Amino acid sequence: MTEMTRRTFLAASSGSLVIAAFGSRGTAAPADRPWYATMRRCGQLNLNERDPLTLDVASWIDYWSSLKLDALLLNGGGIVAFYPTDVPYHHRSEFLGSRDLFGELASATKARGMRLVARMDCNYAYEDALKAHPEWFERNRDGSPRPHNESTWLYKTCMFGPYFTAQMAAIYREINKRYPVDGFFTNGWPSTGDLTVCYCENCQKVYGAIGGAPPERVDASDAGYRKYYDAYMNRVLDVWAGWQKVVTEARADSVYVGNLGGGIRTVKNVKRLGETAHWFNADHQGRAGDTAIWDCAQQGRVAQSVMKGRTITNVTGAYSNSRPTWRHVTKAPAETTMWLAQTAASGMVPWFHWLGGAPEDTRWKEVGREFFTWLANNEPHFRNTRSIADIAVLYPQRTIAFYRSSGAGAWRGVERAQTADYLQGLYYALLEGRFAFDFVHEDDLRSETLQRYRALLIPNAAYLSDDHCRQIREYVAGGGSLLATFETSRYSEWGDARSDFGLGDVFGVTATGAAIGPLGNSYMRISAPHVTLKDFNGTALVPGPENRVPVRARSTASGRAAPQAPLTVVPNYPAFPPEMVFPRTPRTDEPAAIFQENGRSRLAYFAGDIDRTSWRSGSTDLSLLIQSTVRWLRGDAQPLVAVDGDGVVELFAWETEPGYALHLLNYTNPNMTRGFFRRFYPIGPQKAAFTVARGKKIAAVRALRAARALSFTQDGDVVRFEAPAVNDYEVIALT
Ligand SMILES: [Zn+2]
């Protein structure tokens, strides 16, 4: 924390109503690794207010200890104190009696050699606090407080007020003084979702400073929203850094961890959160509705893009957190296992979570114990040092958060999930093509980050700053290959339209108008042969994207002549009635895709949203087109990781402390995109070729789920082996 923010924080902590003056904030973690950096298993029992009446501490600690946990999260306080607190308006559990439940749990946890993290909740408080400290609470426009929608006797606290700086700090200090805790976690805050707009006196001061109250919904076209977004992020980071400071007053190796998550659908800037967080916890406990199974792995990739090997946990709900949700029954075991497996495969630490100290359903216990015991038995192979991937996918956070457009294209982003569909379509094609890839955050496009990747893939990053564009241009100039789609770089980072693409010189195109669509029954015509189109024997047409930017080819940044377009646009024509279904303009010169080669660098620009259209339509042709394009971009050299076999798998490859690990997640399942996994459908053997560091000699290859050694060959730096049939998940360790 800088001197400025520390002073402001202390001023606020002493009860003043000063709103933090926003400054830069400290980011450096200690040089030697803190305890949570080596944590690999984590669990949480989430107590309810009534639990002090009946909680059997010994049997619970026995259970968690049987999972070989490094750290256990247990309720300290916040909404409800589970110990006899002396902090005014810190509500003691009304069932606490003479018990010090947190104290009992703390002693028992530490006696079994587990780290203890106090689980806190900073988001609600009781009516007596509301009466005594009206300035602690969020307000509606009419000044009324905001009760919880179900537990209506609780009121929402405001992050901009002294509840966060003074009251929570006082509670942390009291717990730190009385109990041997190793860290603090706050439920529900800050999250990566939408900003809250509140009208309390503290927020009015913030609005005064930025020139008025912001809109209540995400609207990056509004100048007030833009200012509020920055003010909001600054406050979150000031509070986070302030709490980190408070919890380390008594113990230098303690840690504060906030609650993040959101998978690929984030509004708050995760790059900035990652700079302040010592530990990134993703509260991404499960899926519902039509969410694809790989939602958890995506969470891992987003978090890795900003934490870069530092501590990340992901919560797995052992209860049935579907929609509707059931807090007190067990989720389908196969689903839980696959969620834990994705957490581990993507380099996060699993955090297994149950609610309530007196469960009437205990089926979840063995699901967690089985996975965690296996994890513990193979722990060294989950100590990753870096990922092995030759492809980078740009995580287009601003586009996902803010992408909207006015006029004819206004449908885009109306349903917010749609802004993630470009990434989702590319992602599914990469799974089908079995590529090893990493996410890179759009705010981390430095050459140090990008130089190790052969290609950068950009799924419609419509909102990019001039600086983002400059970094991408430099990557290409340095020999990097690039895929970009649709409106990539068409707008500034806040969504102001540019007169042309920010990267038009790189793509080799000029926009000739606004985006066209959504329109079905349009096509891409194969107008000239190209290696990416060799799988399309027997057809002159490929499905057209639902939306496209009309473009013409232009000379490129390097001064080369306008590139050729092997795919050209066949504009939409009626799909009904059948008598009317014939092309009115069967041939045009309008490029649907531009491919260029410039030394080592290969470039592919698609004028349409082929990624999003592929996802929404399920078109196999569009997925194949993306896959063949990525293969062409990567070049002819041996991929770092290649896995051939049947099934839909996601793969992660890591350099580990003992060697290397190849993770295979088996998604081949009728419930891959809807409903919980009921069971697994094993896939047959997988032939793998894995590139190790030059000169590295591999002595053993072992399948950790199957628990057996594999035969292998090594030819130079390429190790070849056949992974056995994969039931749910397999990890092949190369040492
Ligand atoms: Zn407020």
Side-chain angles (χ1 to χ4, degrees):
M1 193 188 278
T2 62
E3 196 53 40
M4 183 61 197
T5 52
R6 179 155 57 241
R7 271 204 312 275
T8 337
F9 191 80
L10 292 176
S13 302
S14 64
S16 146
L17 288 181
V18 170
I19 300 302
F22 307 123
S24 63
R25 45 205 56 79
T27 58
D32 52 323
R33 295 209 290 178
W35 69 264
Y36 44 90
T38 54
M39 165 178 70
R40 286 297 173 275
R41 291 165 305 281
C42 199
Q44 179 186 6
L45 173 60
N46 216 334
L47 301 178
N48 62 57
E49 182 159 20
R50 198 173 178 282
D51 276 332
L53 285 181
T54 57
L55 194 86
D56 178 355
V57 169
S59 70
W60 273 110
I61 300 300
D62 276 351
Y63 171 69
W64 292 115
S65 181
S66 77
L67 266 58
K68 303 186 186 338
L69 296 188
D70 297 305
L72 179 57
L73 287 104
L74 295 165
N75 302 56
I79 297 176
V80 172
F82 289 87
Y83 67 96
T85 178
D86 292 322
V87 174
Y89 306 107
H90 187 207
H91 175 90
R92 281 190 206 185
S93 159
E94 62 177 282
F95 303 98
L96 193 61
S98 58
R99 253 186 127 170
D100 177 355
L101 185 57
F102 185 69
E104 291 173 43
L105 286 163
S107 306
T109 302
K110 301 300 283 192
R112 301 296 279 273
M114 293 181 281
R115 297 281 183 167
L116 171 64
V117 177
R119 182 269 190 200
M120 315 293 292
D121 197 310
C122 53
N123 302 294
Y124 289 91
Y126 277 75
E127 192 170 7
D128 59 338
L130 175 68
K131 287 194 170 127
H133 287 283
E135 75 282 7
W136 285 358
F137 292 86
E138 284 191 1
R139 303 284 166 169
N140 297 312
R141 271 179 201 276
D142 64 2
S144 58
R146 293 173 167 170
H148 191 276
N149 63 343
E150 285 189 281
S151 302
T152 53
W153 50 94
L154 299 175
Y155 295 89
K156 184 82 180 69
T157 54
C158 180
M159 165 186 88
F160 282 95
Y163 186 83
F164 273 60
T165 40
Q167 177 72 353
M168 287 305 297
I171 297 170
Y172 296 145
R173 289 188 174 108
E174 182 181 67
I175 290 176
N176 240 348
K177 201 167 137 194
R178 293 192 195 177
Y179 307 105
V181 297
D182 299 284
F184 290 84
F185 159 70
T186 52
N187 174 57
W189 187 88
S191 95
T192 56
D194 289 359
L195 315 183
T196 301
V197 176
C198 155
Y199 300 92
C200 78
E201 57 183 274
N202 297 298
C203 287
Q204 300 290 0
K205 289 178 194 167
V206 174
Y207 304 156
I210 63 171
E216 292 186 357
R217 301 187 61 182
V218 174
D219 182 4
S221 69
D222 184 283
Y225 181 87
R226 295 178 187 184
K227 287 183 186 163
Y228 186 54
Y229 184 87
D230 285 341
Y232 197 100
M233 284 302 307
N234 288 338
R235 176 65 176 180
V236 165
L237 299 175
D238 277 344
V239 169
W240 189 308
W243 285 352
Q244 173 69 22
K245 172 88 172 77
V246 168
V247 305
T248 51
E249 283 168 359
R251 284 193 53 169
D253 69 341
S254 187
V255 62
Y256 163 72
V257 54
N259 208 22
L260 302 170
I264 58 173
R265 289 163 293 276
T266 57
V267 174
K268 298 192 186 93
N269 187 320
V270 287
K271 176 68 166 55
R272 292 192 65 196
L273 288 163
E275 286 165 2
T276 292
H278 291 241
W279 164 356
F280 185 116
N281 178 53
D283 188 7
H284 203 59
Q285 302 199 36
R287 64 177 177 145
D290 295 333
T291 305
I293 186 66
W294 51 84
D295 202 51
C296 180
Q298 289 183 330
Q299 173 67 74
R301 293 183 187 279
V302 170
Q304 293 290 356
S305 78
V306 299
M307 293 303 280
K308 306 196 140 196
R310 293 182 299 126
T311 307
I312 307 166
T313 46
N314 184 63
V315 186
T316 293
Y319 62 93
S320 194
N321 58 326
S322 47
R323 247 178 244 131
T325 198
W326 291 278
R327 294 287 220 177
H328 283 160
V329 293
T330 300
K331 187 190 287 176
E335 179 81 9
T336 300
T337 300
M338 186 47 79
W339 213 255
L340 292 168
Q342 289 180 61
T343 303
S346 61
M348 302 190 287
V349 172
W351 159 334
F352 195 49
H353 177 211
W354 179 258
L355 273 101
E360 295 190 76
D361 180 349
T362 57
R363 293 172 294 174
W364 57 277
K365 286 189 170 179
E366 195 49 35
V367 182
R369 181 153 41 213
E370 213 167 83
F371 192 84
F372 275 55
T373 305
W374 172 80
L375 212 51
N377 289 341
N378 295 285
E379 177 171 324
H381 302 293
F382 292 89
R383 297 197 176 285
N384 303 328
T385 50
R386 67 182 188 96
S387 82
I388 308 282
D390 41 20
I391 288 167
V393 172
L394 186 145
Y395 175 54
Q397 185 175 5
R398 284 177 181 74
T399 303
I400 286 173
F402 301 140
Y403 190 36
R404 305 287 187 276
S405 69
S406 52
W411 64 275
R412 270 179 274 133
V414 167
E415 177 194 336
R416 184 160 70 86
Q418 288 195 8
T419 63
D421 281 357
Y422 309 92
L423 175 56
Q424 198 67 271
L426 172 64
Y427 200 95
Y428 186 49
L430 293 176
L431 296 190
E432 288 201 291
R434 297 180 160 214
F435 294 96
F437 60 97
D438 292 329
F439 278 5
V440 293
H441 193 280
E442 63 193 3
D443 290 342
D444 183 28
L445 300 175
R446 302 165 302 152
S447 63
E448 300 94 296
T449 301
L450 290 183
Q451 65 192 2
R452 68 192 187 90
Y453 300 105
R454 290 184 198 163
L456 173 65
L457 315 182
I458 309 182
N460 188 35
Y463 289 17
L464 289 176
S465 71
D466 290 345
D467 214 37
H468 295 143
C469 292
R470 179 184 57 75
Q471 290 175 313
I472 292 165
R473 190 176 288 111
E474 281 172 9
Y475 171 70
V476 170
S481 293
L482 187 76
L483 167 81
T485 66
F486 193 38
E487 292 204 285
T488 293
S489 78
R490 195 77 174 82
Y491 307 86
S492 76
E493 69 273 30
W494 287 111
D496 295 328
R498 294 190 169 100
S499 58
D500 199 348
F501 295 98
L503 289 168
D505 56 332
V506 177
F507 301 161
V509 297
T510 293
T512 59
I516 297 169
L519 291 167
N521 205 45
S522 72
Y523 298 86
M524 295 188 280
R525 175 174 299 284
I526 300 175
S527 307
H530 191 268
V531 62
T532 57
L533 304 172
K534 67 178 168 36
D535 292 332
F536 293 100
N537 286 328
T539 180
L541 298 177
V542 179
E546 205 174 7
N547 299 274
R548 74 178 198 277
V549 181
V551 297
R552 62 177 165 76
R554 59 174 262 192
S555 60
T556 63
S558 54
R560 289 150 60 97
Q564 293 304 302
L567 286 170
T568 50
V569 170
V570 179
N572 141 275
Y573 48 89
F576 300 95
E579 292 86 340
M580 297 298 118
V581 185
F582 61 94
R584 306 308 195 268
T585 317
R587 285 170 199 282
T588 69
D589 294 332
E590 184 185 329
I594 292 273
F595 300 107
Q596 306 173 64
E597 285 193 65
N598 194 357
R600 281 194 302 134
S601 172
R602 293 174 174 182
L603 305 171
Y605 168 73
F606 288 90
D609 59 350
I610 61 163
D611 33 23
R612 174 191 161 281
T613 304
S614 170
W615 179 243
R616 290 176 77 86
S617 67
S619 165
T620 51
D621 283 342
L622 289 175
S623 179
L624 279 176
L625 179 59
I626 295 170
Q627 292 171 52
S628 62
T629 303
V630 175
R631 260 181 224 107
W632 172 70
L633 292 175
R634 190 174 56 191
D636 304 322
Q638 169 76 26
L640 294 178
V641 183
V643 181
D644 291 320
D646 288 335
V648 181
V649 302
E650 179 154 18
L651 57 94
F652 286 89
W654 298 96
E655 187 182 276
T656 61
E657 286 180 7
Y660 300 89
L662 171 64
H663 297 245
L664 299 167
L665 294 153
N666 178 15
Y667 296 155
T668 316
N669 201 297
N671 302 107
M672 184 171 76
T673 55
R674 186 175 174 81
F676 288 151
F677 274 21
R678 278 93 171 123
R679 48 159 289 201
F680 297 107
Y681 296 80
I683 51 173
Q686 308 285 316
K687 277 189 170 32
F690 195 109
T691 306
V692 299
R694 191 141 299 162
K696 169 87 179 171
K697 188 87 189 114
I698 294 300
V701 175
R702 186 171 176 79
L704 303 181
R705 291 289 273 177
R708 66 179 177 84
L710 305 182
S711 59
F712 68 98
T713 61
Q714 181 164 6
D715 177 12
D717 48 11
V718 179
V719 180
R720 290 189 168 79
F721 53 89
E722 188 175 277
V726 180
N727 185 46
D728 49 4
Y729 170 42
E730 186 54 275
V731 181
I732 313 294
L734 288 69
T735 55

